[in-house]
Amino acid sequence: MNPKRKQRLIIVLFIVFGVGAAVGLTMFALSQNINLFYSPTQIENGEAPQETRIRAGGMVVEGSVKRDPNSLNVTFDLTDYEGTITVHYDGILPDLFREGQGIVAQGDLDANNHLQASEVLAKHDENYMPPEVAEALEKSGKMPKPEGEVFNK
Amino acid sequence: MSEKKNWMPRWFYQLASPRWSYNIMGKLLPGFAICAALLLIGGTIWALMFAPEDYQQGNSFRIIYIHVPSAILAQSCYMLMAVAGAIGLIWKMKVADMVAKSCAPIGASIAVLALATGAIWGKPTWGSWWVWDARLTSMLILLFLYLGVIALHSAIENEATAAQSSAVLSLVGLVNIPIIKYSVEWWNTLHQPATFTLTERPAMPAEMWVPLLVMVIGFYCMFAVSLMMRTRNEILYRERRASWVRELLEKQ
């Protein structure tokens, strides 16, 4: 390679790695702000601000969903297997909402550290399977469940 | 310096000749076109009619057969554009500049396709068309980078300057590719992590992922076809004063 080309190659590498390092450091510094949601552990530890709009993500705890028979009000617990918080929501839940499903709820934390949600989104996991396979896995108790770290990075 | 070893393969230098590139792409085109047509038609029929539905999402999961190939391709296309741009910068190779220029509009349309199919899937599955999570936002930035490259090419009249500045822009934007890829692992996102990884078994049975693989290869072939057609066009336009192009035109 002649010296001219070598010099240009060095400049190109410098651009790519220089920008990479700069952006990498920025992202590292902003890391918490890039997260879409707080995990239940973080909320329990008081890392999430109160009375401002936040999102909380976690798994709906089995058996915790309580629906009000006269309205759309629903209360459920969210967990990442380390911490658990209670969510109150008044509205229509997404189709994928059920116990054991990962969800992301947007709302405000009240004085009891309960989330008063204004929006609930279902978080789909990376597992896809036909219904028969799902049934068989469910019976044998081998259904893949999201791990705690999915909600707590 | 005469004994200095030439460490680049011969075809790399042959690619520098617009005429040689034009001819070789003309020879490759029909093969890729046939592959693309067969794979895309076969893959679509397989995906829509024979692949089983998902236990949770039902039939709406089938949009994966467009969404995933287009998202993968949008990123690969960007990498190709940046590498071609770098080759153009370092070796001053005109054909590489033309390839980089031809990549941008194709990549932009594929990125739009990935974002649109994702939004259409997101509404029934998540309950929202759009969420500002790290994966979706970085993918949107990719689209803006493509649009920036297209804008630079059309804003600068001088072809060499336009190629240089858009190559620098695409190299700067290259940092976005690993961010898109790892966004779902580094941060809490609504978008699910990858179903396919090189190290683990896919989180999907074979009767679902084989048609997906067919679609991915089909998308790549289709991309090759459109890229070669665009690049050949670009070669003819830029070399319009060369004698071989004139001969070619007179023959028709």
Side-chain angles (χ1 to χ4, degrees):
Chain A
M1 227 200 251
N2 69 32
K4 237 333 189 355
R5 284 177 187 166
K6 197 171 258 176
Q7 195 188 1
R8 289 197 291 250
L9 176 69
I10 291 168
I11 295 175
V12 165
L13 290 177
F14 182 78
I15 294 176
V16 171
F17 288 102
V19 172
V23 172
L25 288 172
T26 317
M27 296 274 209
F28 183 71
L30 291 175
S31 162
Q32 185 53 58
N33 300 329
I34 299 172
N35 284 332
L36 182 73
F37 52 80
Y38 289 96
S39 69
T41 316
Q42 285 173 316
I43 295 173
E44 272 196 339
N45 295 342
E47 285 171 41
Q50 289 213 326
E51 281 165 22
T52 176
R53 176 158 283 221
I54 61 156
R55 291 201 193 88
M59 276 228 323
V60 180
V61 179
E62 307 262 353
S64 73
V65 181
K66 291 185 213 68
R67 288 173 201 269
D68 181 351
N70 302 319
S71 69
L72 286 172
N73 274 324
V74 56
T75 307
F76 53 88
D77 290 346
L78 274 189
T79 184
D80 59 358
Y81 303 110
E82 281 175 40
T84 305
I85 58 155
T86 306
V87 180
H88 302 279
Y89 179 59
D90 180 16
I92 296 164
L93 291 163
D95 292 349
L96 286 192
F97 181 91
R98 54 198 171 109
E99 292 175 354
Q101 172 74 42
I103 65 129
V104 173
Q106 188 177 47
D108 301 25
L109 282 181
D110 63 15
N112 308 325
N113 239 3
H114 287 189
L115 189 78
Q116 300 291 341
S118 53
E119 187 182 28
V120 172
L121 301 175
K123 178 169 163 53
H124 189 262
D125 62 20
E126 71 272 33
N127 297 303
Y128 292 77
M129 59 189 93
E132 310 86 66
V133 177
E135 223 167 84
L137 285 179
E138 196 77 70
K139 262 186 206 148
S140 61
K142 281 185 190 147
M143 195 67 170
K145 283 265 167 350
E147 283 168 33
E149 68 182 65
V150 171
F151 303 105
N152 199 0
K153 283 176 183 157
Chain B
M1 293 292 274
S2 58
E3 77 278 12
K4 205 173 132 188
K5 197 173 170 287
N6 212 340
W7 50 276
M8 279 293 182
R10 208 165 85 98
W11 59 264
F12 182 76
Y13 289 101
Q14 281 174 322
L15 270 182
S17 145
R19 186 180 186 176
W20 190 85
S21 309
Y22 181 87
N23 289 335
I24 193 85
M25 280 191 251
K27 279 187 198 128
L28 289 173
L29 256 177
F32 276 104
I34 292 166
C35 285
L38 289 180
L39 287 168
L40 287 180
I41 293 171
T44 309
I45 293 171
W46 192 350
L48 293 184
M49 296 177 68
F50 299 106
E53 60 175 31
D54 183 61
Y55 75 110
Q56 213 177 0
Q57 307 167 49
N59 280 320
S60 73
F61 103 97
R62 289 181 203 275
I63 206 162
I64 198 178
Y65 294 111
I66 305 285
H67 178 70
V68 169
S70 52
I72 294 175
L73 188 56
Q75 295 171 66
S76 311
C77 176
Y78 192 88
M79 286 194 272
L80 177 64
M81 183 172 78
V83 170
I87 292 173
L89 279 181
I90 298 167
W91 279 272
K92 300 279 173 206
M93 213 181 257
K94 267 194 287 178
V95 178
D97 289 345
M98 297 180 202
V99 170
K101 186 182 176 186
S102 313
C103 275
I106 307 173
S109 13
I110 298 166
V112 167
L113 187 62
L115 288 168
T117 49
I120 294 166
W121 177 83
K123 186 62 186 167
T125 314
W126 294 338
S128 169
W129 296 101
W130 182 266
V131 178
W132 291 101
D133 85 346
R135 172 56 75 80
L136 276 65
T137 310
S138 53
M139 198 63 199
L140 188 65
I141 292 173
L142 183 77
L143 173 63
F144 290 157
L145 282 168
Y146 276 127
L147 296 182
V149 170
I150 297 173
L152 266 185
H153 269 296
S154 53
I156 303 173
E157 200 115 326
N158 183 305
E159 277 157 359
T161 325
Q164 266 183 356
S165 35
S166 45
V168 170
L169 175 62
S170 27
L171 284 169
V172 167
L174 197 59
V175 69
N176 193 32
I177 296 294
I179 295 176
I180 298 177
K181 171 94 178 72
Y182 293 107
S183 53
V184 289
E185 287 170 31
W186 290 339
W187 302 295
N188 291 329
T189 55
L190 189 61
H191 195 286
Q192 67 261 39
T195 298
F196 303 94
T197 50
L198 285 177
T199 48
E200 281 169 57
R201 286 183 49 217
M204 188 184 243
E207 63 258 46
M208 282 176 164
W209 66 253
V210 175
L212 184 56
L213 184 67
V214 171
M215 288 300 277
V216 171
I217 301 171
F219 263 71
Y220 270 102
C221 290
M222 185 188 69
F223 169 66
V225 171
S226 46
L227 180 65
M228 287 194 285
M229 285 172 72
R230 278 199 98 95
T231 311
R232 287 182 95 208
N233 215 4
E234 189 71 24
I235 291 176
L236 284 189
Y237 179 72
R238 286 211 211 167
E239 299 291 306
R240 60 190 179 276
R241 286 184 199 90
S243 57
W244 68 271
V245 176
R246 292 204 175 162
E247 274 168 35
L248 199 78
L249 289 177
E250 271 161 23
K251 254 191 265 170
Q252 287 193 338

